[in-house]
Amino acid sequence: MQYEAVIGLEVHAQLLTDSKIFCGCSTRFGAEPNSQTCPVCLGMPGVLPVLNERAVEFAIRMGLATNCSIASFSRFARKNYFYPDLPKGYQISQYELPLCSNGYVDIELEDGTEKRIGIIRIHLEEDAGKSIHDPALAGEDTLVDLNRCGVPLIEIVSAPDLRTPQEAYAYLVRLKQLVTYLGICDGNMEEGSLRCDANVSVRPVGSDTFGVKTEVKNMNSFRNVERALTYEINRQIQVLESGGKIVQETLLWDANEGIARPMRSKEEAHDYRYFPEPDLVPLEVSEAWIEKIKADLPELPRARKKRFVEQYKIPVYDAGVLTMTRELADYYEAITQVCSDFKMVSNWVMGEVLRVLNERKIDIADFPISPERLGKLLNLILNKTISINIAKTVFEEMLQSDAEPEAIVEEKGLAQVSDRGLIEEIVDKVIQENPKQVEQYRGGKTKVFGYFVGQVMRATRGKANPAIVNEILKEKLSG
Amino acid sequence: MAISIQEVQHIAKLAKLTFTEAELERFTRELNKILEYVEKLNELDTSNVEPLSHTTDIHNVMRADEVKPSLPVDEVLANAPSREGNFFKVPKVVK
């Protein structure tokens, strides 16, 4: 039987506020354990949480970017459960009245088509602390650091619209792109600022009912989400094929082993006894506030991609690569202020620049060549001062120093030779020195042409203008 | 709307409380009495009344996103039964 998977993702994104969601403690990552805590986030009796306005604004930004309705009235709820990293014994979250609901994002599939994925809701909540179980550090015990306790999160719940691990991957890539464009989350899955849990079930192709689902957790990279889902879908199909039944359970992905293991059942799990949070007053979001946030939204990735195609006349593929991150798109646009050959700029950013970023595993923010300097280099190609090959040499130099490209060309004597007289002289010499090849060429073996070009380039240390070399060589060889 | 002894047991478990058989019976009885008492509220017709979660008309109490000093770590850990460095130390959970 042919099966298809039904996948829904719950994504948690840590918001980039300076302070926590309900108190003034810092959210800075990597501080000394428990040094960023106070009576509010420690769950001391008698304290009152006060909502961080910017956290609300960030959540609304994401709601608007994913075409959600923003609730004019919403409130917070307590989700009750016991765990050492949750000192209050409940997490403040939202339940029946989330801030954002009924949105969608369009994801790009590998064949270039788009698919719309529903967003059921986006709500605000607080993060829990961090438990360390590693015996090397904690021995027989568990160590708890509450610095993360109360860091603002949004939870983004997708509709069960994803059908393959690849779609889930594309959806996550889109969400990461959105949160980083919006500047509300750094989108780093490895460091846990973006986290993903998946609900997975399978069913016969063509069926419109859902199978029994399992929940997969602990996938801490985009690739691991894809791998874990592939694993779990295959496992479920195997169980069904051998006449078994899927048990509803929570599985933890083990990236080292490449398998998902059932989590030891949390006792009475999912009995959270939600009720409205009495310590926080309801939240009313006015049209005026929404309009203000909307007005401040940056240009979003899809709009920017479309604009790049129209404004810079570059292929859709290029525009997609260049707008993958806001920073890279900014970098590209900054170069276009200096160099007007937009396609060449695109080729260089997608080729040389991205190559170096990958090799050095750095972000564009840490790339040593400013857009202005790269633009000037490309202008040297445009005005035929240097060839593309020489430009690549200059580019390597520029990675090492802050020198301007013109200065490097000058200093190393790399300027292209376009002097016809000079090139003619060299061509004559090469022809004279290679009578055998000349004979071959004239005898119809035109492949040796490349040999002559090579010889001329060698004689000029790559500086001869290739177009002129070709032209003169053709003329003289046919001689 | 009688509450069963199993429900009381379940709630006790969620609250991490352990009771003897006698206590369970007593709490079941007492909780039922309380529920019976508040059951009286159901006599009111509330079909046209919006559910109420807060009794004041206040809304949107918010603070600006500004960092304030946290507690000194030693104060944070002062009441902890056990610590390891600057961590709280608790009995092993999961795994």
Side-chain angles (χ1 to χ4, degrees), chain A residues 386-407:
Chain A
I386 55 176
S387 67
I388 291 175
N389 275 331
I390 294 288
K392 287 186 177 166
T393 311
V394 178
F395 178 83
E396 294 300 322
E397 286 288 324
M398 290 165 72
L399 287 172
Q400 313 301 329
S401 79
D402 290 335
E404 292 294 335
E406 296 86 348

Side-chain angles (χ1 to χ4, degrees), chain A residues 5 33 71 82 93 96 123 135 187 250 306 376 385 444 448 457:
Chain A
F82 276 111
S93 179
E96 85 282 29
H123 69 250
T250 301
K306 197 161 163 265
K376 286 181 192 166
T385 306
V448 291
M457 282 302 176

Side-chain angles (χ1 to χ4, degrees), chain A residues 94-303:
Chain A
Q94 294 193 291
Y95 190 54
E96 85 282 29
L97 293 171
L99 189 52
C100 318
S101 57
N102 286 323
Y104 61 83
V105 291
D106 291 320
I107 62 167
E108 251 163 63
L109 305 180
E110 271 165 21
D111 62 5
T113 59
E114 290 200 331
K115 180 174 174 178
R116 182 155 292 183
I117 306 299
I119 304 278
I120 295 175
R121 59 187 280 156
I122 301 175
H123 69 250
L124 264 173
E125 60 185 28
E126 57 178 343
D127 208 345
K130 203 174 169 162
S131 308
I132 296 167
H133 307 293
D134 181 0
L137 295 161
E140 292 295 298
D141 305 291
T142 292
L143 302 181
V144 183
D145 173 8
L146 298 177
N147 282 348
R148 202 178 65 186
C149 208
V151 168
L153 297 175
I154 46 173
E155 178 174 328
I156 306 155
V157 183
S158 86
D161 291 344
L162 301 159
R163 290 290 170 272
T164 64
Q166 292 70 36
E167 287 182 18
Y169 183 89
Y171 169 77
L172 279 174
V173 167
R174 176 64 90 204
L175 286 195
K176 173 179 173 164
Q177 196 186 29
L178 283 174
V179 294
T180 52
Y181 261 76
L182 294 169
I184 61 168
C185 170
D186 67 24
N188 191 328
M189 259 194 108
E190 283 77 7
E191 281 175 14
S193 40
L194 198 68
R195 281 169 252 158
C196 171
D197 299 332
N199 288 304
V200 193
S201 62
V202 299
R203 63 184 178 190
V205 170
S207 160
D208 56 5
T209 54
F210 295 131
V212 176
K213 68 180 179 185
T214 59
E215 189 178 6
V216 187
K217 289 174 173 281
N218 199 37
M219 303 167 288
N220 58 359
S221 73
F222 287 79
R223 279 293 157 219
N224 271 320
V225 171
E226 204 177 348
R227 283 174 67 208
L229 289 173
T230 304
Y231 170 89
E232 177 57 11
I233 291 164
N234 289 334
R235 185 191 71 86
Q236 290 191 8
I237 292 171
Q238 271 173 23
V239 169
L240 294 176
E241 284 286 277
S242 57
K245 278 204 164 78
I246 306 299
V247 183
Q248 183 164 355
E249 61 185 343
T250 301
L251 304 157
L252 288 182
W253 174 246
D254 182 332
N256 294 327
E257 303 271 331
I259 57 170
R261 286 200 190 85
M263 199 165 118
R264 195 176 294 171
S265 65
K266 249 195 211 169
E267 283 176 302
E268 322 286 343
H270 303 301
D271 191 351
Y272 294 128
R273 295 149 293 145
Y274 285 95
F275 63 87
E277 167 58 273
D279 286 346
L280 288 163
V281 295
L283 180 63
E284 289 194 12
V285 179
S286 66
E287 274 303 313
W289 194 13
I290 295 174
E291 285 310 314
K292 188 179 175 299
I293 295 171
K294 207 181 263 176
D296 292 341
L297 283 185
E299 186 181 26
L300 294 174
R302 291 184 75 226

Side-chain angles (χ1 to χ4, degrees), chain B residues 54-87:
Chain B
H54 295 74
T55 51
T56 65
D57 271 339
I58 305 169
H59 52 79
N60 291 19
V61 176
M62 288 183 268
R63 38 174 275 275
D65 181 27
E66 282 161 11
V67 174
K68 297 268 162 63
S70 296
L71 278 186
V73 181
D74 280 334
E75 257 179 70
V76 171
L77 295 163
N79 294 331
S82 183
R83 66 186 274 186
E84 173 92 40
N86 286 340
F87 288 101

Side-chain angles (χ1 to χ4, degrees), chain A residues 427 430-431 434-453 469-479:
Chain A
V427 168
V430 168
I431 287 177
N434 296 284
K436 216 169 92 194
Q437 282 81 358
V438 174
E439 204 175 305
Q440 283 175 347
Y441 182 85
R442 288 182 179 154
K445 226 179 144 196
T446 49
K447 272 200 297 188
V448 291
F449 188 74
Y451 172 79
F452 288 105
V453 175
V469 171
N470 277 339
E471 196 192 314
I472 296 176
L473 259 176
K474 279 221 173 84
E475 193 186 298
K476 300 238 172 201
L477 279 172
S478 58

Side-chain angles (χ1 to χ4, degrees), chain B residues 29-95:
Chain B
R29 208 167 51 241
E30 287 179 356
L31 282 169
N32 270 316
K33 265 193 180 157
I34 295 168
L35 288 171
E36 258 168 53
Y37 177 67
V38 293
E39 183 72 8
K40 187 151 188 64
L41 291 173
N42 279 341
E43 290 171 18
L44 265 182
D45 180 7
T46 56
S47 51
N48 289 317
V49 182
E50 279 287 304
L52 180 79
S53 62
H54 295 74
T55 51
T56 65
D57 271 339
I58 305 169
H59 52 79
N60 291 19
V61 176
M62 288 183 268
R63 38 174 275 275
D65 181 27
E66 282 161 11
V67 174
K68 297 268 162 63
S70 296
L71 278 186
V73 181
D74 280 334
E75 257 179 70
V76 171
L77 295 163
N79 294 331
S82 183
R83 66 186 274 186
E84 173 92 40
N86 286 340
F87 288 101
F88 289 95
K89 188 156 101 179
V90 300
K92 192 157 199 92
V93 280
V94 303
K95 286 171 192 172

